[in-house]
């Protein structure tokens, strides 16, 4: 006797869940992180520029203009990513790590003189790994397609 009633309640619950799913997903969408091709491009463009600059750190003279250019680009990437809001905090943190590492490496080069090949290899590996983490994090985000 209770079977038709149970079936009705079950169907009502399914109906209400299906109607509220878009609302629930919309609210949880605030927590989703979406892939941003601009962030991805900024990071993948900047990585080889930093790597090429590091190659020059084995020479006696240092290109302060190139350092300034990289600082500017890092600041622009940071501001862009930060401006996307709290839901993008993990990428903002990774850009901060890259910027801080870059500054430590530049200060090391300015203070201690030209890098040896071992210094170059170690510093490039560290900064490139930091970029790779940020790039792969962006690439693995939800694609809003």
């Amino acid at each position: 006797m209770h079977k038709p009633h149970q079936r009705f309640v079950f169907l009502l619950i399914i109906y209400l869940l299906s109607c509220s799913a878009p609302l629930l997903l919309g609210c949880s969408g605030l927590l989703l992180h979406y892939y941003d091709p601009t962030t991805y491009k900024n990071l993948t463009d900047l990585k080889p520029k930093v790597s090429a600059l590091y190659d020059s750190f084995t020479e006696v003279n240092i290109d302060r203009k190139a350092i300034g250019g990289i600082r500017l680009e890092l600041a622009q990437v940071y501001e862009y990513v930060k401006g996307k809001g709290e839901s993008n905090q993990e990428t903002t943190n990774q850009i901060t790590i890259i910027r801080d590492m870059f500054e430590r490496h530049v200060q090391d080069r300015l203070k201690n003189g030209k890098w040896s090949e071992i210094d170059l290899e170690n510093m490039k590996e560290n900064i490139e790994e930091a970029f790779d983490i940020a790039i792969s994090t962006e690439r693995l985000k939800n694609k809003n397609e």
Side-chain angles (χ1 to χ4, degrees), residues 72-114:
L72 175 61
E73 286 189 58
L74 282 168
Q76 290 170 327
V77 170
Y78 175 81
E79 290 302 323
Y80 175 79
V81 171
K82 181 182 166 195
K84 293 191 313 183
E86 285 297 315
S87 66
N88 207 47
Q89 187 61 42
E90 65 193 38
T91 306
T92 304
N93 292 343
Q94 290 174 352
I95 302 298
T96 300
I97 290 168
I98 291 169
R99 279 187 357 177
D100 292 349
M101 184 183 299
F102 177 77
E103 286 304 323
R104 282 192 312 274
H105 291 168
V106 168
Q107 291 310 311
D108 175 77
R109 171 58 181 89
L110 292 171
K111 181 180 175 187
N112 298 318
K114 70 179 189 169

